[in-house]
Amino acid sequence: MNRRSAVLAAVLGALLTSAGCSSAPPGGGPTAAPGTRTVSPVAGCGTASWTDPSDLSADRAPARCEPGAPAPVPLAERRKLTIATGTLSAEYVAPLEVALDKGEFAREGLDVELKVLPTPDALPLLAKGDIDALWAAPEAAVMNGVRGGFDIRWVAGNFSPDPASKSGLWARLDDSGTAADVSLSGRSLGTMIGKGSVIAYPMEKALRSHGGDLAKIRYQQLGSADVLTALRNGGVDSAWLLDPVWRTVDGDPSYAFLGGQPQGEPLGGFLYGPSLLTEDTDAGVALLRAYIRTVNTYFAADYKKDAEFVSYLAALLRTDPKILASTPSLRMDWEIRAGTTDRLQSAYRAQGVTSDTPLPESQTVDRLLYEEAVGHD
């Protein structure tokens, strides 16, 4: 049993014996649950603030409101929230750090703490209400947790890649090989994440056109500093390279880019537990409103064209501005596409980390909170 499986078993056991232990919001009882709430038009958020979830086109323009919108709607009583995230240095976490630094959460009456926790460790805390939100992805552990009784939903997206990005699956080529000739059936893949991650979905697509599949690949889980080294010295035949690591092999004829995350389709973002789904939905909407306003104000377009903002962002993320500027801007996107969790679960089954009947989207995704935040009824 690998670490993820062992942790998941412990998580399920802990949660199934602690149902009903989550705390109520301070100063009152539950607020109206999503689906029973009044949704009103929001100034600055017109028809462009929502896109059809079934639109999976790679060139889909992400939803946007005007800068500064949606405006804050402060809670009647200040609320302390804890958001868990696996890292504070990755670019996809930047909207949260900017929202905190610029006071966008505070304007909603939220005192937010960002806490570094890996997803398997954060899940039981989220389901019990000990933390309020998780900035992560609907990984296999999340799907299995929901199946085991966790009251957790994916409620907002995070980003999709720029068309120029080559973050994704790279392979070493033979002396006379080309990307079209690469066959990965039965060969090794270096990854820092291992099985059960959302990258299983884009990997499955890339492997399908190169003679491999998720069940036949030999996975080699490596540290973040070791993935590139293993690919270069022949320790693995292929590797999943993240920003900005892929820049070190881009243009080198010894390596080929085989595919990355689908454009226009976020694979992560906010996960909510009962604390913000049902016990204090007002706070759940307020948190998304602050996040969405931050995207519209600071990340609406190609934010890396602004050298001053890149320097500011690099300081928040504790990275070198030149390294941050070396890769394309992410396309920040709070919406969730239709069928994404279906496709993810299909990939998890192909990897052998889940075997049960897939969960319907109604049990994995809740778009109502971000729709309320932008006034889409």
Side-chain angles (χ1 to χ4, degrees), residues 141-219:
V142 176
M143 296 294 101
N144 287 338
V146 172
R147 186 176 288 106
F150 295 16
D151 186 14
I152 292 173
R153 297 291 184 276
W154 183 20
V155 299
N158 52 8
F159 75 92
S160 63
D162 183 275
S165 175
K166 295 182 181 178
S167 173
L169 185 61
W170 286 79
R172 271 188 309 108
L173 298 177
D174 297 330
D175 292 340
S176 59
T178 66
D181 299 326
V182 173
S183 175
L184 293 176
S185 180
R187 304 183 75 182
S188 58
L189 168 72
T191 170
M192 59 180 287
I193 302 172
K195 291 185 178 181
S197 163
V198 292
I199 67 168
Y201 160 40
M203 277 202 312
E204 184 176 43
K205 294 182 67 175
L207 290 171
R208 194 177 298 132
S209 58
H210 290 280
D213 61 53
L214 293 173
K216 294 178 181 178
I217 285 288
R218 292 184 287 110
Y219 296 89

Side-chain angles (χ1 to χ4, degrees), residues 251-295:
D252 186 330
S254 300
Y255 303 93
F257 175 61
L258 304 184
Q261 177 179 331
Q263 293 173 26
E265 184 176 12
L267 300 181
F270 268 121
L271 302 173
Y272 278 7
S275 171
L276 297 181
L277 281 174
T278 55
E279 293 169 11
D280 195 353
T281 312
D282 286 347
V285 173
L287 179 60
L288 293 190
R289 189 165 48 238
Y291 162 53
I292 292 169
R293 182 169 61 254
T294 302
V295 170

Side-chain angles (χ1 to χ4, degrees), residues 72-148:
V73 183
L75 299 172
E77 183 175 345
R78 293 197 72 81
R79 177 83 149 87
K80 291 184 177 181
L81 298 182
T82 301
I83 303 172
T85 174
T87 177
L88 290 174
S89 61
E91 189 176 340
Y92 67 84
V93 188
L96 302 190
E97 299 207 57
V98 171
L100 188 61
D101 186 66
K102 297 290 188 181
E104 299 296 352
F105 294 135
R107 291 184 180 94
E108 298 286 351
L110 300 173
D111 296 326
V112 168
E113 176 189 6
L114 300 180
K115 187 172 185 177
V116 176
L117 278 175
T119 296
D121 296 339
L123 279 177
L125 303 178
L126 181 65
K128 290 191 295 181
D130 291 342
I131 60 174
D132 302 285
L134 175 58
W135 186 253
E139 298 180 346
V142 176
M143 296 294 101
N144 287 338
V146 172
R147 186 176 288 106

Side-chain angles (χ1 to χ4, degrees), residues 221-359:
Q221 193 163 354
L222 301 165
S224 58
D226 301 323
V227 175
L228 179 61
T229 300
L231 181 65
R232 280 179 155 169
N233 65 20
V236 294
D237 302 301
S238 60
W240 190 270
L241 302 181
L242 303 174
D243 288 335
V245 177
W246 61 267
R247 294 300 300 266
T248 62
V249 295
D250 188 31
D252 186 330
S254 300
Y255 303 93
F257 175 61
L258 304 184
Q261 177 179 331
Q263 293 173 26
E265 184 176 12
L267 300 181
F270 268 121
L271 302 173
Y272 278 7
S275 171
L276 297 181
L277 281 174
T278 55
E279 293 169 11
D280 195 353
T281 312
D282 286 347
V285 173
L287 179 60
L288 293 190
R289 189 165 48 238
Y291 162 53
I292 292 169
R293 182 169 61 254
T294 302
V295 170
N296 291 320
T297 306
Y298 301 100
F299 298 93
D302 186 357
Y303 50 91
K304 291 186 181 179
K305 287 183 176 179
D306 184 339
E308 184 176 348
F309 184 70
V310 169
S311 295
Y312 162 74
L313 206 57
L316 279 183
L317 300 175
R318 298 174 180 83
T319 190
D320 186 328
K322 292 182 179 179
I323 294 177
L324 185 62
S326 70
T327 55
S329 297
L330 301 179
R331 292 189 168 184
M332 303 302 184
D333 188 350
W334 64 78
E335 293 190 305
I336 300 170
R337 301 293 87 197
T340 296
T341 56
D342 297 334
R343 292 183 284 277
L344 290 172
Q345 290 180 90
S346 174
Y348 300 151
R349 290 196 305 278
Q351 282 187 321
V353 293
T354 61
S355 58
D356 295 322
T357 302
L359 293 167

